[in-house]
Amino acid sequence: MSARYGKVGVILVNYRGANDACECVKSLRNSDFPLLEVYVVDNDSGDGSCEIIESRCPEVEVIPLSENIGFGGANNVGMERAFRDGCDAALLLNNDTVVDERMISVLAAAADEATVAVPLMLYFGEPDTVWYGGGHFDAFGIPRHDHFKEPRSSVRVESAQVSFATGCCIFIPKSVYERVGGFDESYFLYWEDADLSLRFAQNGVSVLFCPQAVLWHKVSVSTGGEGSPFSYYYETRNRLYAIDKFGLGPKTRLWAYLGLLRGVLSRNPRYAHALKAWRDYRHHRFGKGL
């Protein structure tokens, strides 16, 4: 058992992904961390997800919401519940993941009152290919995954400080949560993890990438996959919101608008959603937009 953490609350946000959530819970059962409380926050799936998860995973606390409040909002509900129940840390974990048995113990050993910890994340369908091998903000203020789509062997085995923690999996001690808070719920989906990473830095909290902690990720199953029209809406609107919120500068803003313009000129149908995102941003319409 970690000397720092007696009990860890694992937060899974579910939206019509009961089978994935149950597979994730199955992998958590094999964890060598001795005391876990698993919470599934259901974002008003309306498809029987809650009943399926309760019947197949009786050890899990299912928290049904009466409306879909987004990724960040649902994680906030889960964290608040976990800390109220006496958990010393929260592990935010996408429900479409499968974790290595040592992952939580490695993250717990690395995190402290001024450090959150993140694991190596590999593609579920390509188990030796990296999805996230640490992360950073590029010269234009855009969050990037290190070693993206590179072989696992390209990642150094030593832990290293990084600047961007993807919301797919973050180990957050209670003391850090009390200092920084949870997700900004204005985003609804996408960029809320970039926002949280920037607030970690503002509050003197480090993000430690721990490659000896490993999970496998099915990648954007609930949102239609990487590059879907749905994702383009939230990526566009929320990037512009973050630029304003953190004063990321004219270069970052110019890059965002150039990306939008390139898409419009390409006549790709998915950019119709990006145009709606721009209009919603201009009129300060945040939260759920599609």
Side-chain angles (χ1 to χ4, degrees):
M1 179 180 294
S2 166
R4 299 189 185 103
Y5 309 106
K7 182 168 66 171
V8 171
V10 182
I11 316 301
L12 308 181
V13 174
N14 181 70
Y15 182 72
R16 301 181 179 178
N19 289 334
D20 287 325
C22 290
E23 188 173 3
C24 181
V25 171
K26 181 179 178 181
S27 72
L28 289 167
R29 290 174 182 153
N30 296 323
S31 172
D32 66 1
F33 193 90
L35 192 51
L36 299 175
E37 293 286 346
V38 182
Y39 302 87
V40 176
V41 184
D42 185 78
N43 247 333
D44 192 29
S45 292
D47 66 346
S49 282
C50 293
E51 293 77 12
I52 292 170
I53 295 168
E54 287 173 337
S55 64
R56 291 171 56 185
C57 308
E59 73 274 31
V60 167
E61 181 73 22
V62 177
I63 304 174
L65 302 180
S66 59
E67 62 177 315
N68 186 345
I69 62 173
F71 177 80
N75 267 303
N76 288 345
V77 169
M79 284 191 285
E80 290 166 7
R81 176 64 175 273
F83 292 133
R84 189 167 68 245
D85 287 350
C87 292
D88 303 301
L91 178 73
L92 309 185
L93 183 65
N94 272 24
N95 71 331
D96 59 349
T97 60
V98 171
V99 306
D100 179 79
E101 63 182 14
R102 296 182 59 247
M103 186 194 81
I104 298 175
S105 293
V106 172
L107 297 179
D112 59 34
E113 65 279 356
T115 307
V116 301
V118 294
L120 172 64
M121 307 181 201
L122 307 170
Y123 280 94
F124 182 82
E126 300 177 60
D128 288 317
T129 301
V130 176
W131 180 71
Y132 173 91
H136 68 281
F137 290 90
D138 68 15
F140 295 96
I142 308 302
R144 303 293 187 187
H145 290 199
D146 298 336
H147 301 286
F148 181 61
K149 294 191 175 180
E150 294 179 9
R152 180 178 180 177
S153 59
S154 67
V155 181
R156 296 181 62 180
V157 297
E158 297 86 2
S159 297
Q161 187 171 327
V162 296
S163 57
F164 169 62
T166 171
C168 178
C169 184
I170 313 175
F171 187 99
I172 304 179
K174 183 180 180 181
S175 58
V176 171
Y177 176 79
E178 291 173 340
R179 186 192 309 186
V180 180
F183 289 112
D184 181 339
E185 299 180 19
S186 298
Y187 292 94
F188 187 77
L189 184 68
Y190 297 128
W191 272 79
E192 65 279 280
D193 50 6
D195 178 291
L196 186 59
S197 297
L198 290 167
R199 287 191 286 118
F200 285 149
Q202 287 177 339
N203 287 275
V205 174
S206 299
V207 179
L208 189 66
F209 169 59
C210 304
Q212 295 182 357
V214 182
L215 64 76
W216 291 266
H217 181 26
K218 297 174 185 177
V219 183
S220 303
V221 168
S222 65
T223 60
E226 295 175 297
S228 69
F230 183 84
S231 71
Y232 265 83
Y233 170 82
Y234 287 105
E235 285 279 1
T236 301
R237 187 197 67 181
N238 293 345
R239 179 186 297 183
L240 294 170
Y241 172 61
I243 289 169
D244 284 346
K245 179 176 178 179
F246 292 97
L248 297 180
K251 183 167 66 173
T252 303
R253 184 181 297 277
L254 177 61
W255 187 252
Y257 277 107
L258 284 175
L260 178 58
L261 179 61
R262 284 197 301 269
V264 172
L265 294 176
S266 75
R267 299 183 183 275
N268 190 315
R270 67 190 178 189
Y271 277 93
H273 289 296
L275 286 173
K276 181 183 186 307
W278 178 75
R279 290 192 294 267
D280 285 351
Y281 154 74
R282 290 293 302 272
H283 292 91
H284 306 285
R285 292 193 290 259
F286 298 108
K288 187 175 183 181
L290 288 179

